[in-house]
Amino acid sequence: MADTVASPQVHGPVGQHDVDYLHDGSLLSWLTTVDHKKLGVMYLWSILFMFFLGGIFALLVRLELFAPGKTIMDAETYNKVFTLHGAIMVFLFIIPSIPAALGNFALPIMLGAKDVAFPRLNLLSFWIYATGAMIAVVAMVTGGVDTGWTFYTPYSTTTDGSVALMTFAAFVLGFSSILTGVNFIATVHKLRAPGMGWFKMPLFIWGIYSTAIIQVLATPVLAITLLLLIMERTFGVGVFDPKLGGDPVLFQHFFWFYSHPAVYIMILPGMAIISEIVPAMSQKTFFGYKATAFSSVAIAIVSFVVWGHHMFTSGQSQLAGAIFSFLTFLVGIPSAIKVFNWITTMYKGSISLQAPMLYALMFLILFGIGGLTGIFLGAMSVDIHLHDTYFVVAHFHYVMMGSTVIAFFGGLHYWWPKMFGRMYNETAARIAAILVFIGFNTTFLPQFLLGSRGMPRRYYNYLPEFQFLHQVSTVGSWILGLGFLIMAGYLFASLRKKFDAPPNPWHARTLEWQIPSPPITHNFHEVPVVKSDPYDYYRPFEPSVKGHH
Amino acid sequence: MNSLRDWMMPMQASEHAAKIDNLYLFIFWLTLAFFILIAYLTVAFAWKYRRKKEGVLTVNLQHNLALELVWSIIPLILVIGIFFWGFNDYAAASVAPNDALEIHVTGKKWNWSFEYPDGTRSIRSLHVPVNKPIRLIMTSEDVLHAFFIPSMRVKQDVIPGRYVDLNFTPTVAGRHQVFCAEYCGRDHSGMMADLFVDTPAKYAEWLEKGDEELYKMKPAELGKMVWEMKGCNSCHTIDGTKGEGPSFKGIFGKTEKFRDGSTIVVDENYIRESILNPQAKVVAGFEPVMPTFQGLLREIEIKGVIAYIKELK
């Protein structure tokens, strides 16, 4: 079954084509490839570039806020810079990061498949992403955007700049996200290797699968919303602007109907990676496999009915606010269960403290802070005070960056040897991880205090009483930047070496570790037959893949 | 306990601020306890069970129903409790008592303006009497804004084309900071106002006399501000073009003919009469549509308008 939709590049009997995928083909063949691994690698370089770009904007924002008033740029430039930071990080980095880069590379192999279900569609997704990214770059250099990444109306329909083009970029990027989601759903349903029942799937797959469901269901709503915004801005069709008979709060409902589930599009894949790293690096059976798998699906479903918690002060009805608040607290429970499951999985394990595990441990602490501070914001009366302050900025950076981005880098360090066939310098990796941890907390912990003391977000200027905490935060951003600089250094350095990664540096048991590093173009010589659970670390290893080791 | 609160939160200056802070502090201690639990277990397990030997098999722990129920149900009960606590305080704070003092607030890039029941208006400074329930009825003339007074623990988005209200009872006299909390463009961070909570006597005096700044301005400047803020500008132009009413340009000293055929040379007394009793002498060619400003303008403001008109030659 799996073979019927395999890559059209297949020639000759399976098992004859032994070239590793990295050396298989010219530049043109990379750009037109339908190999999920090559597409994963191309996505990886694209999103890492976007992370670099968004990170530069972040550093500029922090630098401007080092002192009140003008520090390095004027107010209009600052507004564009923080908008670009948010828009790039959300739409061009975080949303595609784990599913499109690491998911594309690892998901088919972990299922025992040769490729995703629709390899050509996968290529199309990539080029739609690239097109969206290029449109976004054009929007940035032709006027920029100063609306914030949320594009709230009627500001966004009345301000100058390339708002229509930037929203169009987000509209285009949405299709890439939808197509990737469709592809992964079909792949999980149809291309699992013989013997791999639903509950024998690695938890990474469950997380990516749940994410894909949200991507497919929620992203069209964003597409429609952004299209309406473009219509209003360009043709004066009144939907959101009261001057044209529209309703600005309607935009917020539409926007958050996508963008709250989108928060889970961002965090579920992060949780998925942690569910992979923790058992592998602890050499331990996963505690509560089914609870974790189902909590991913539960989060995916409940995430659709909590969008109004972004709008407690927006003038929506109090009854609606109360329902959203209640559901918001409920959606926290599956996340709490996951945290306890990860921690219990470590109990009595044989824990390696190599780089991927350091990131997993960082994730547990930072996601703990991010999740727990969400309780303040879910409580309606307290949220009235904290809404739109730095408390919110700190909270979502702990979730988006402290959790998702940290999990992404954990996953990158975990799968790097498999993707590129090389080991990175472990000492440098540990130093970078510790710097990132210190820098992150120095940047964002003070922002909770800024927010509870009343410092509103998206402020170019601020009162002198807030200066000290802003300065601590800015210094933290430099430490964070240094950590990432070192990371870039040792990762690039590793690529100059010859292949030196063993097939299974972590002694993990999922299928991708039973093939060479880097994999051959067709992943497996023979279709693997899965006999054991993915985390059976209590008994001797029984490979599912023949022909290696 | 209080010093921790004062370190984390602004001054408590409204009746419901203490309620919000109590819940804030409850969540703070609760989440701190959970965080310590999570962080301790994470670090302790990572250290205690760190790998000492390669290739060992580990125990097979997959389920523990009792443990899993405990860590699902306890957090569930706690968050449901927090939900009701937060909702109750929110609902209580959002209802205005019948005797609330109603003040209209208008947000416009990048200023807040206020209109009091007696017609007094102010820009960037809001005056209210202490210990009196206040109901702000707010709207925006352009984009979204949000009215945020940290020391009162209130915040509300201000929306164009709609009225929203915001209720609080200030308990601490003095100056309090007002911010705009919803991003609104270039001078978003400059869209601030001062909230002055006054004793009832001081508040009444302020309504009577207005801001001290009024007395420092040049009369013609004050007149121009009145012309803009009180809406004179919607009917009376200053460039000679005809509006609903005669243009102010060059009108002082001019001989005006009225609807009843009589004439008068425009002087201080005529302007004053036209403001306070506009129907008395209506200039020929205009409709008697102007409302009286009796009681809505202070003496100093009327003088300012006269000085302003004199300057518009």
Side-chain angles (χ1 to χ4, degrees), chain A residues 79 146 155 281 283 288 313-314 318 322 325 344 347 350-351 384-385 387-388 452-453 458-459 461 538, chain B residues 7-8 10 45 49-51 58 60 62 71 83 94 155-157 159 162 180-183 185 188-189:
Chain A
N79 290 343
D146 71 340
Y155 186 80
M281 303 303 282
Q283 294 288 299
T313 71
S314 73
Q318 292 178 9
S325 169
T344 315
Y347 175 69
S350 172
I351 301 171
I384 298 300
H385 177 63
H387 182 73
D388 274 338
S452 68
R453 287 180 181 178
R458 294 176 170 176
Y459 261 35
N461 195 0
Y538 65 93
Chain B
W7 186 66
M8 292 194 292
F45 286 177
Y49 303 114
R50 69 188 182 278
R51 193 169 299 170
T58 51
N60 181 20
Q62 296 196 23
W71 72 42
F83 161 73
S94 51
K155 184 182 291 124
Q156 171 64 49
D157 288 11
I159 302 161
R162 190 191 288 192
C180 175
E182 183 64 62
Y183 174 69
H188 169 52
S189 63

Side-chain angles (χ1 to χ4, degrees), chain A residues 303-476:
Chain A
S303 73
F304 277 97
V305 286
V306 297
W307 79 87
H309 70 216
H310 295 268
M311 300 169 58
F312 288 154
T313 71
S314 73
Q316 73 179 347
S317 90
Q318 292 178 9
L319 177 66
I323 293 169
F324 284 126
S325 169
F326 187 75
L327 292 167
T328 298
F329 282 122
L330 289 191
V331 81
I333 299 299
S335 302
I337 291 173
K338 279 171 183 277
V339 170
F340 290 124
N341 284 338
W342 291 318
I343 291 175
T344 315
T345 299
M346 288 160 60
Y347 175 69
K348 290 196 172 174
S350 172
I351 301 171
S352 156
L353 294 176
Q354 287 166 292
M357 190 62 185
L358 288 188
Y359 282 98
L361 297 174
M362 276 157 65
F363 173 97
L364 288 173
I365 297 200
L366 300 178
F367 181 68
I369 297 176
L372 290 167
T373 50
I375 296 176
F376 292 85
L377 299 168
M380 295 178 83
S381 65
V382 177
D383 181 65
I384 298 300
H385 177 63
L386 298 176
H387 182 73
D388 274 338
T389 67
Y390 265 76
F391 193 96
V392 176
V393 177
H395 161 72
F396 74 71
H397 277 93
Y398 267 88
V399 179
M400 301 288 82
M401 181 166 188
S403 311
T404 303
V405 178
I406 289 300
F408 166 74
F409 283 112
L412 188 64
H413 284 82
Y414 182 67
W415 281 303
W416 184 270
K418 185 58 62 184
M419 290 180 99
F420 297 106
R422 286 100 163 176
M423 300 304 289
Y424 43 81
N425 183 313
E426 178 65 27
T427 312
R430 288 183 190 189
I431 292 169
I434 290 166
L435 280 175
V436 166
F437 185 74
I438 294 171
F440 179 85
N441 285 298
T442 313
T443 307
F444 293 105
L445 213 50
Q447 295 188 3
F448 285 115
L449 202 52
L450 275 172
S452 68
R453 287 180 181 178
M455 169 79 210
R457 64 190 285 205
R458 294 176 170 176
Y459 261 35
Y460 167 69
N461 195 0
Y462 53 83
L463 300 178
E465 67 206 65
F466 297 123
Q467 185 172 5
F468 175 70
L469 291 170
H470 271 302
Q471 290 188 337
V472 174
S473 181
T474 300
V475 170

Side-chain angles (χ1 to χ4, degrees), chain A residues 8-47:
Chain A
Q9 289 180 349
V10 174
H11 41 77
V14 176
Q16 300 297 304
H17 197 19
D18 263 356
V19 181
D20 73 82
Y21 83 99
L22 289 170
H23 288 104
D24 184 12
S26 60
L27 177 67
L28 185 68
S29 78
W30 270 80
L31 296 179
T32 57
T33 186
V34 290
D35 179 357
H36 69 100
K37 299 182 291 301
K38 287 183 176 174
L39 283 166
V41 169
M42 291 202 292
Y43 267 116
L44 182 68
W45 295 124
S46 310
I47 60 150

Side-chain angles (χ1 to χ4, degrees), chain A residues 121-463:
Chain A
L121 196 66
N122 207 13
L123 178 65
L124 180 64
S125 297
F126 175 78
W127 283 108
I128 292 176
Y129 170 80
T131 308
M134 281 181 248
I135 297 172
V137 170
V138 171
M140 285 174 219
V141 295
T142 59
V145 186
D146 71 340
T147 60
W149 76 277
T150 47
F151 303 117
Y152 269 19
T153 57
Y155 186 80
S156 59
T157 52
T158 50
T159 184
D160 295 335
S162 307
V163 179
L165 206 55
M166 190 55 125
T167 19
F168 184 64
F171 174 80
V172 170
L173 289 167
F175 284 96
S176 167
S177 192
I178 293 169
L179 296 182
T180 301
V182 168
N183 218 335
F184 285 174
I185 291 173
T187 307
V188 171
H189 275 272
K190 304 306 285 183
L191 296 189
R192 280 173 285 126
M196 184 174 283
W198 281 86
F199 297 112
K200 281 198 162 57
M201 291 197 307
L203 285 163
F204 181 72
I205 307 291
W206 276 99
I208 297 293
Y209 177 76
S210 309
T211 309
I213 292 173
I214 312 180
Q215 282 176 298
V216 170
L217 293 180
T219 316
V221 178
L222 178 75
I224 293 163
T225 310
L226 295 178
L227 208 54
L228 288 171
L229 185 72
I230 294 168
M231 299 275 278
E232 177 163 308
R233 210 182 138 87
T234 315
F235 305 111
V237 180
V239 185
F240 305 122
D241 187 348
K243 287 207 176 72
L244 304 169
D247 180 355
V249 182
L250 182 67
F251 177 83
Q252 296 178 34
H253 280 291
F254 281 178
F255 182 81
W256 289 114
F257 186 85
Y258 163 75
S259 291
H260 195 79
V263 170
Y264 293 94
I265 292 179
M266 302 182 228
I267 190 68
L268 278 172
M271 294 168 159
I273 286 177
I274 300 307
S275 298
E276 219 48 56
I277 294 177
V278 169
M281 303 303 282
S282 307
Q283 294 288 299
K284 188 68 195 318
T285 323
F286 200 91
F287 184 91
Y289 173 96
K290 281 190 184 175
T292 298
F294 287 135
S295 67
S296 291
V297 181
I299 289 171
I301 294 165
V302 183
S303 73
F304 277 97
V305 286
V306 297
W307 79 87
H309 70 216
H310 295 268
M311 300 169 58
F312 288 154
T313 71
S314 73
Q316 73 179 347
S317 90
Q318 292 178 9
L319 177 66
I323 293 169
F324 284 126
S325 169
F326 187 75
L327 292 167
T328 298
F329 282 122
L330 289 191
V331 81
I333 299 299
S335 302
I337 291 173
K338 279 171 183 277
V339 170
F340 290 124
N341 284 338
W342 291 318
I343 291 175
T344 315
T345 299
M346 288 160 60
Y347 175 69
K348 290 196 172 174
S350 172
I351 301 171
S352 156
L353 294 176
Q354 287 166 292
M357 190 62 185
L358 288 188
Y359 282 98
L361 297 174
M362 276 157 65
F363 173 97
L364 288 173
I365 297 200
L366 300 178
F367 181 68
I369 297 176
L372 290 167
T373 50
I375 296 176
F376 292 85
L377 299 168
M380 295 178 83
S381 65
V382 177
D383 181 65
I384 298 300
H385 177 63
L386 298 176
H387 182 73
D388 274 338
T389 67
Y390 265 76
F391 193 96
V392 176
V393 177
H395 161 72
F396 74 71
H397 277 93
Y398 267 88
V399 179
M400 301 288 82
M401 181 166 188
S403 311
T404 303
V405 178
I406 289 300
F408 166 74
F409 283 112
L412 188 64
H413 284 82
Y414 182 67
W415 281 303
W416 184 270
K418 185 58 62 184
M419 290 180 99
F420 297 106
R422 286 100 163 176
M423 300 304 289
Y424 43 81
N425 183 313
E426 178 65 27
T427 312
R430 288 183 190 189
I431 292 169
I434 290 166
L435 280 175
V436 166
F437 185 74
I438 294 171
F440 179 85
N441 285 298
T442 313
T443 307
F444 293 105
L445 213 50
Q447 295 188 3
F448 285 115
L449 202 52
L450 275 172
S452 68
R453 287 180 181 178
M455 169 79 210
R457 64 190 285 205
R458 294 176 170 176
Y459 261 35
Y460 167 69
N461 195 0
Y462 53 83
L463 300 178

